[in-house]
Structure formats: structure tokens, C-alpha cells
Amino acid sequence: AQTVTQSQPEMSVQEAETVTLSCTYDTSESDYYLFWYKQPPSRQMILVIRQEAYKQQNATENRFSVNFQKAAKSFSLKISDSQLGDAAMYFCAYRTGGGADGLTFGKGTHLIIQP
Amino acid sequence: EPEVTQTPSHQVTQMGQEVILRCVPISNHLYFYWYRQILGQKVEFLVSFYNNEISEKSEIFDDQFSVERPDGSNFTLKIRSTKLEDSAMYFCASSHLWTSGSYEQYFGPGTRLTVT
């Protein structure tokens, strides 16, 4: 079974600084996708960024970027120029390539932004 | 921008009662999902639905749960006889196939279910 591990229950960063959230996963599949979701206090799940396993290039979305290390099964999220609105729970998620497959989530990292 | 909607936002029910949680997926999406998040825990997959039938389901999705697409827009989750441990946030999601091959799932705002 696939598992997703987020080893940092909580992280804190100063506003405008950079922070990296860690995620590792375990799978025997070759075709899969990785995602980071943000969950603010409203508890809405918001897609932040995705990475296709077949792509070597790391995904980037504005201030958010990932470091995808396929051999190490590592998928970290870097947030640059942290803003107060980035404060939230961040969940790493995995799924295989089929449309019917559900996401497997990690336990999440609570990100605190210090003003 | 299209979004997934869910009703009600909060449902309180007594143990043993039946509840129906409703979702309206994004209109051109083909796959629909239900997830559960017990307070303070991770989000867990319950079931996926495609072409008017269940595609995949987890161990959590036992006989007390059922899903239905009663018309062209709604997607529902029914819990037949609620238990205290069913208290959780229930998220609906939908997806379609992107050119990358990825099925990105977009989540609704959730329904908080409280069983007393």
C-alpha cells in the first residue's frame, strides 16, 4: 500500500523568509502524481501545486516550488517570501495515474507565519 | 471560476439517524470523490464514482455508506445509521483529465457532520 509521510507536525517561519516542508512517500508504481494541498482555518482544501512523476523538471507556481527526488521518493515544498496568508495546514498527497484512484494524504504540517 | 459546492455546511444528527450529504461537482468533470477528515487527523479517501457507478472504495466505505448521482448535477453521500465515530468533515471532490495526464482533484468546502 502507498504511504505518505510528513515528518514535521509544525513549522514556523518569519514573514518574507523561505520555508521548506518535507514529504516522503512509498510506492512500487512507476506512474503517479504528487500534490500539495493547503488547508486554512476554514478547512477548505486548496490545490497548491502538482508534480507528474514522469517529469524530471520540478514544478513551480509563483512563490511555491517543489524539489522532487524520484529515487529518494521525496517531494518537498518550498515557499518563498512567506506571507501571513500562507499560514495553514499543508498536506502532501499521492495518487496513481488512474482517474478513479483516490488521493493518499500525509498527516500534514501546520505552518505558522511570524509577523 | 467554477467550483465544487456542498450542502449543508454543518449537519447535526442523532446516532442511528440517516444523513445525506450533497455535492455539486464542477460541470465538465467526470470523476467524483468523497473524503473524510476526522478532527485533527489526515484526510482519508472514501469512494470514487465514474459513469454512474463506484470505481474505487476504501475499507472505510462499508455497507452503511452509499453514493448516488440522482440527476445531472448532484452527487450525494448517504450514511444509513450514523455512529458517533462518523463525526467528521466530509469533502466532495471532482476531477477531469488534464493534458499532462493528471487528474487534478478540486475540493468543495466540506460538510461538518456532528453525530450526538
Side-chain angles (χ1 to χ4, degrees), chain A residues 4-13 18-24 36 74-79 88-92 106-112:
Chain A
V4 177
T5 302
Q6 292 180 251
S7 59
Q8 305 154 317
E10 186 173 279
M11 292 282 286
S12 180
V13 64
T18 295
V19 64
T20 298
L21 309 184
S22 301
C23 172
T24 58
W36 280 97
S74 169
F75 181 61
S76 60
L77 174 70
K78 185 171 85 171
I79 306 174
M89 283 292 290
Y90 285 82
F91 292 96
C92 178
K107 290 186 176 181
T109 295
H110 181 211
L111 179 62
I112 298 167

Side-chain angles (χ1 to χ4, degrees), chain A:
Chain A
Q2 298 88 3
T3 58
V4 177
T5 302
Q6 292 180 251
S7 59
Q8 305 154 317
E10 186 173 279
M11 292 282 286
S12 180
V13 64
Q14 293 282 339
E15 196 176 359
E17 298 289 302
T18 295
V19 64
T20 298
L21 309 184
S22 301
C23 172
T24 58
Y25 59 94
D26 187 24
T27 183
S28 57
E29 302 286 339
S30 57
D31 178 26
Y32 57 89
Y33 300 85
L34 297 162
F35 305 87
W36 280 97
Y37 281 86
K38 171 185 177 180
Q39 187 179 45
S42 67
R43 298 189 72 184
Q44 169 94 47
M45 296 290 288
I46 302 165
L47 178 63
V48 175
I49 198 165
R50 77 168 187 276
Q51 175 76 45
E52 295 87 349
Y54 64 81
K55 286 187 177 178
Q56 292 186 332
Q57 187 174 7
N58 289 324
T60 299
E61 289 286 342
N62 301 312
R63 298 182 295 107
F64 299 87
S65 61
V66 299
N67 183 5
F68 173 48
Q69 302 289 327
K70 191 172 184 179
K73 296 180 181 174
S74 169
F75 181 61
S76 60
L77 174 70
K78 185 171 85 171
I79 306 174
S80 304
D81 185 26
S82 298
Q83 300 175 0
L84 294 177
D86 295 333
M89 283 292 290
Y90 285 82
F91 292 96
C92 178
Y94 159 101
R95 62 170 299 168
T96 55
D101 293 345
L103 291 160
T104 299
F105 285 89
K107 290 186 176 181
T109 295
H110 181 211
L111 179 62
I112 298 167
I113 310 295
Q114 306 276 9

Side-chain angles (χ1 to χ4, degrees), chain A residues 4 33 35 37 39 42-47 50 52 54-55 91 95 97-108, chain B residues 31 33 35 37-39 41-45 48 55-56 89 91 95 98 100-109 112:
Chain A
V4 177
Y33 300 85
F35 305 87
Y37 281 86
Q39 187 179 45
S42 67
R43 298 189 72 184
Q44 169 94 47
M45 296 290 288
I46 302 165
L47 178 63
R50 77 168 187 276
E52 295 87 349
Y54 64 81
K55 286 187 177 178
F91 292 96
R95 62 170 299 168
D101 293 345
L103 291 160
T104 299
F105 285 89
K107 290 186 176 181
Chain B
Y31 288 90
Y33 315 83
Y35 291 84
Q37 185 182 33
I38 295 170
L39 187 62
Q41 298 187 23
K42 65 178 177 179
V43 179
E44 300 172 293
F45 169 71
S48 62
S55 296
E56 300 283 343
M89 193 77 151
F91 291 102
S95 75
W98 289 81
S100 68
S102 166
Y103 287 88
E104 291 185 10
Q105 294 183 21
Y106 290 87
F107 283 72
R112 184 155 67 100

Side-chain angles (χ1 to χ4, degrees), chain B:
Chain B
E1 186 175 323
E3 57 184 23
V4 177
T5 60
Q6 290 185 243
T7 54
S9 57
H10 187 197
Q11 174 93 47
V12 181
T13 189
Q14 289 191 327
M15 196 167 51
Q17 296 295 304
E18 174 184 285
V19 294
I20 298 177
L21 309 183
R22 292 183 167 77
C23 167
V24 178
I26 295 173
S27 63
N28 64 340
H29 285 191
L30 302 177
Y31 288 90
F32 316 119
Y33 315 83
W34 283 102
Y35 291 84
R36 178 182 82 176
Q37 185 182 33
I38 295 170
L39 187 62
Q41 298 187 23
K42 65 178 177 179
V43 179
E44 300 172 293
F45 169 71
L46 292 177
V47 65
S48 62
F49 192 87
Y50 172 74
N51 200 27
N52 279 321
E53 61 183 23
I54 290 174
S55 296
E56 300 283 343
K57 60 182 181 179
S58 72
E59 292 176 352
I60 302 168
F61 193 86
D62 60 23
D63 291 343
Q64 70 161 340
F65 292 97
S66 62
V67 289
E68 192 179 32
R69 188 154 163 84
D71 53 44
S73 59
N74 290 284
F75 178 52
T76 62
L77 174 69
K78 182 193 289 186
I79 309 175
R80 269 182 258 284
S81 178
T82 50
K83 305 172 194 161
L84 293 175
E85 54 264 37
D86 293 327
S87 294
M89 193 77 151
Y90 288 81
F91 291 102
C92 174
S94 67
S95 75
H96 69 137
L97 178 60
W98 289 81
T99 52
S100 68
S102 166
Y103 287 88
E104 291 185 10
Q105 294 183 21
Y106 290 87
F107 283 72
T111 292
R112 184 155 67 100
L113 176 66
T114 303
V115 182
T116 62

